[in-house]
Amino acid sequence: MTPRSQRPNNPPRDVHDPDGVRLQKVLAGAGLGSRRACEDIITAGRVTVDGVQVRELGVRVDPTTAVIHVDGDRVQLDDSVVTIALNKPFGVYSSMRDEQGRPDLAQFVADRTERMFHVGRLDAETEGLILLTNDGELAHRLTHPSYEVPKTYLAEVDGRVARGLGRQLMEGVELEDGPVKVDSFKVLETAPGASIVEVVLHEGRNHIVRRLFEEVGHPVVKLSRTQIGPIRLGHLKVGRTRVIEGRELGSLMSAVGM
C-alpha cells in the first residue's frame, strides 16, 4: 500500500465549459469592474466557480448555472433579478398596493417592468432604508429570524438618555410579547429635552424600536432606518432609489448564506 504522504493529491474539478462565456466577461457584466480589472481579480486567486478556485484567464463558464464567488461573496449573474434600496419617506405605507388607497411603495418603482415586492416593513411614521426585490430566496432569507440580519436605526427620543441605558438595552428589556436585546447602542447627541441615538438590532417584530424605547421611558419622536446588513442608506435622498449590484449585492447575499 502506498503511504498516505506519497499518494497524489486529487486534481481540482474542471469547471471549464468550452461552450460558455469567458469568466472575466461574466464578472465585468455583473458589475465587478472592467474586463482588465476582472482579469486581475481572477489571477489573484480571488474567484471561485462552483467552489473551485480559478486563476486561469481562459476559463469559460455557463452564467445560467455557475455559482461564482469573489472574495467569498456571491456574484449575481441573472440580470432579470433586481434588488433596489429605497429611502422611504414619512407617511408612506410598506405595501406594494395599499388596500385603502394610502401612499405606498409602488410609486417608487412604477417605471420598472419587474414585479417587485418589499423586504420587511417600516411603519408609515418611520423613514429610511427598505429593500425592494424580485428575488424570492433573498427576500425570504433577509426576513427569516434564523439569519439574524442586523438593522441600524437612528432615533430621536424624548428626554436626556441616562448613562446606563445602553447596558440595560443590551442586557434585555421585557415587552408584552417577550424580551428584546439590542446588538449595540450609541448616544450621538443629548440635551435636556431630547436625545439622538443609534441602535442596532436584528429583531423583526412590529414597531419593535418604538416599543422598546417607550418601555424604558424615552418615547421615539422621529425614527429612520439607516442600514440593513451590509447595505447602507448613505447619501440616498428621501424618496429616491438605487440598484444594489456588484460587490455590494454579493455582500448582502453572503450575509444570508447565498
Side-chain angles (χ1 to χ4, degrees):
M1 177 178 290
T2 303
R4 178 176 297 179
S5 60
Q6 298 179 18
R7 295 176 192 171
N9 293 326
N10 291 328
R13 182 162 48 89
D14 186 8
V15 294
H16 176 68
D17 182 348
D19 297 321
V21 181
R22 286 189 180 276
L23 181 57
Q24 56 265 44
K25 182 178 179 179
V26 172
L27 294 178
L32 273 294
S34 67
R35 288 197 194 182
R36 179 59 184 272
C38 291
E39 289 176 355
D40 292 340
I41 291 172
I42 294 169
T43 56
R46 296 165 58 190
V47 181
T48 64
V49 178
D50 297 334
V52 177
Q53 185 183 54
V54 175
R55 291 177 177 268
E56 298 77 24
L57 295 180
V59 171
R60 293 175 177 267
V61 299
D62 182 350
T64 65
T65 59
V67 177
I68 299 176
H69 289 78
V70 174
D71 296 332
D73 289 338
R74 177 77 174 267
V75 178
Q76 177 58 264
L77 302 178
D78 186 350
D79 58 11
S80 69
V81 176
V82 179
T83 300
I84 293 173
L86 164 67
N87 189 345
K88 187 188 83 67
F90 181 93
V92 172
Y93 288 78
S94 292
S95 169
M96 298 308 294
R97 184 178 180 182
D98 187 74
E99 296 180 353
Q100 300 180 41
R102 299 171 297 188
D104 57 32
L105 302 173
Q107 61 184 298
F108 303 105
V109 288
D111 61 337
R112 302 202 66 92
T113 58
E114 304 91 354
R115 184 172 180 266
M116 309 295 290
F117 46 94
H118 57 91
V119 179
R121 307 179 68 86
L122 287 177
D123 60 60
E125 293 75 28
T126 301
E127 300 179 352
L129 181 61
I130 191 167
L131 302 181
L132 308 173
T133 188
N134 62 349
D135 187 335
E137 180 62 21
L138 178 62
H140 168 72
R141 293 188 181 214
L142 284 170
T143 54
H144 198 282
S146 65
Y147 291 98
E148 298 188 343
V149 177
K151 303 173 184 68
T152 304
Y153 296 85
L154 190 66
E156 179 184 342
V157 300
D158 188 41
R160 182 187 290 273
V161 172
R163 179 173 296 180
L165 181 61
R167 178 181 297 177
Q168 180 184 359
L169 295 177
M170 286 188 282
E171 289 178 350
V173 175
E174 188 70 35
L175 302 179
E176 67 273 12
D177 55 350
V180 58
K181 294 181 180 181
V182 306
D183 299 330
S184 70
F185 176 79
K186 184 187 299 182
V187 179
L188 303 180
E189 295 181 26
T190 186
S195 302
I196 298 177
V197 301
E198 181 185 83
V199 60
V200 180
L201 70 169
H202 55 265
E203 281 275 3
R205 285 178 276 173
N206 288 340
H207 311 292
I208 189 67
V209 176
R210 294 181 184 275
R211 293 193 290 127
L212 176 62
F213 282 102
E214 180 78 30
E215 182 66 26
V216 296
H218 294 283
V220 170
V221 177
K222 186 177 181 181
L223 184 63
S224 175
R225 185 161 64 194
T226 60
Q227 188 170 346
I228 300 174
I231 307 302
R232 297 176 181 271
L233 188 62
H235 298 294
L236 188 64
K237 295 181 178 179
V238 175
R240 302 296 296 271
T241 64
R242 65 178 178 85
V243 176
I244 299 171
E245 56 189 354
R247 294 180 183 177
E248 187 181 30
L249 178 58
S251 65
L252 178 64
M253 297 174 73
S254 293
V256 290
M258 295 180 68

